[in-house]
Amino acid sequence: MEEGEYESVLCVKPEVHVYRIPPRATNRGYRAAEWQLDQPSWSGRLRITAKGQVAYIKLEDRTSGELFAQAPVDQFPGTAVESVTDSSRYFVIRIEDGNGRRAFIGIGFGDRGDAFDFNVALQDHFKWVKQQCEFAKQAQNPDLGPKLDLGFKEGQTIKLNIANMKKKEGAAGTPRARPASTGGLSLLPPPPGGKTSTLIPPPGEQLSAGGSLGQTAVAPSSGRLPARLNQAQAGSSSDLSALLPRTTSGKEPPHLGQRKEDGALRGQPLSGA
């Protein structure tokens, strides 16, 4: 035990009873029923301390704290602390006086919870001692510890399914952007159930059967409509109204009448003044 080690308190119980026990005749274990449980030899306080790897069970006076007996424990479970075979509240401990003299006495708790805490405090301490010994061995010989090998063995392969990864990313990704039109302006589709507007051609052009503009078919000298019109266009009043200029009160357009007069004048001789 080193001089610089400090003493820590593991457990304190305010009431414990001490009993004289008969010598054990066989190896079957101690029995608390063989003790005089109604006549304890001493009663006081129990305190478990630890200094280094050794635990100490100290029996002290309740008021003055004077030490009655002390049992050093270097191993648990072991011969220093033994449980009885017929109860969980009684134990047999080996006390020492510091001069090499030893004796076995019985101790007991009135509450099972106190006996449980006494047992667990010793178990936790020696579990910690075992871990410290393992850490010390690993520090001295680091190569003796198990090594974690994450490398591939000979002939070992892995398979990565990248297609599923892309599919999952596409499902949860952003929506696709619409391609921009070359002209800089995008045309909206017509509303549902709507009618397409009729294109009004300029003078000298006409609509073909597909709705496209064609070459003029009106004679420059006559104001008549072309004889060969598409049947669909001829039957449609809206198309004819789009082709012909507006007239007022059923009269023919002024520009067509002017062309007729010009043609009649060309056939007559000029009279001299």
Side-chain angles (χ1 to χ4, degrees):
M1 185 183 302
E2 299 179 359
E3 296 294 336
E5 292 178 343
Y6 60 91
E7 186 179 33
S8 59
V9 179
L10 305 180
C11 179
V12 176
K13 292 302 173 182
E15 185 177 8
V16 66
H17 306 289
V18 176
Y19 304 93
R20 294 180 182 272
I21 61 175
R24 184 168 54 178
T26 61
N27 295 329
R28 65 177 183 174
Y30 293 99
R31 289 174 53 88
E34 299 175 355
W35 307 347
Q36 297 179 359
L37 300 179
D38 56 344
Q39 298 177 2
S41 301
W42 181 86
S43 297
R45 180 180 65 186
L46 179 140
R47 192 160 60 100
I48 303 177
T49 62
K51 197 171 185 179
Q53 298 182 358
V54 182
Y56 296 90
I57 302 174
K58 296 182 179 182
L59 304 175
E60 301 172 344
D61 186 77
R62 294 176 183 173
T63 27
S64 63
E66 182 182 359
L67 182 64
F68 171 75
Q70 177 177 272
V73 183
D74 55 358
Q75 186 180 359
F76 182 80
T79 57
V81 180
E82 296 183 41
S83 301
V84 297
T85 58
D86 58 346
S87 178
S88 61
R89 295 187 292 115
Y90 298 92
F91 302 88
V92 176
I93 63 174
R94 184 183 63 190
I95 60 176
E96 297 181 4
D97 60 354
N99 297 325
R101 292 185 302 179
R102 299 177 179 179
F104 290 92
I105 61 173
I107 61 173
F109 300 94
D111 188 6
R112 295 185 184 275
D114 294 341
F116 177 80
D117 295 341
F118 170 81
N119 199 9
V120 169
L122 292 174
Q123 288 179 357
D124 291 345
H125 171 70
F126 285 99
K127 186 183 297 183
W128 172 81
V129 170
K130 184 178 179 181
Q131 292 178 352
Q132 294 300 316
C133 293
E134 292 178 355
F135 293 156
K137 290 180 181 179
Q138 292 180 3
Q140 293 177 359
N141 301 317
D143 297 336
L144 297 179
K147 296 181 179 179
L148 183 60
D149 186 12
L150 299 178
F152 287 100
K153 305 298 186 293
E154 184 177 357
Q156 184 180 4
T157 58
I158 60 174
K159 183 179 179 181
L160 298 178
N161 197 345
I162 304 178
N164 291 342
M165 295 172 61
K166 291 183 177 179
K167 186 176 181 181
K168 292 179 181 179
E169 292 177 359
T174 57
R176 299 180 180 177
R178 296 183 178 179
S181 60
T182 56
L185 296 176
S186 59
L187 298 178
L188 297 177
K195 296 182 180 180
T196 57
S197 60
T198 304
L199 296 178
I200 302 176
E205 296 184 358
Q206 68 175 0
L207 287 174
S208 62
S212 61
L213 295 176
Q215 298 295 331
T216 180
V218 181
S221 59
S222 65
R224 298 178 182 178
L225 292 174
R228 299 178 61 184
L229 283 177
N230 193 311
Q231 184 177 1
Q233 294 179 352
S236 176
S237 61
S238 60
D239 293 344
L240 290 177
S241 62
L243 291 175
L244 295 178
R246 292 184 178 180
T247 58
T248 56
S249 65
K251 297 181 180 180
E252 61 180 1
H255 62 276
L256 293 180
Q258 186 178 0
R259 290 183 180 179
K260 288 182 179 181
E261 293 178 358
D262 293 341
L265 292 175
R266 291 180 183 174
Q268 296 178 2
L270 296 174
S271 60

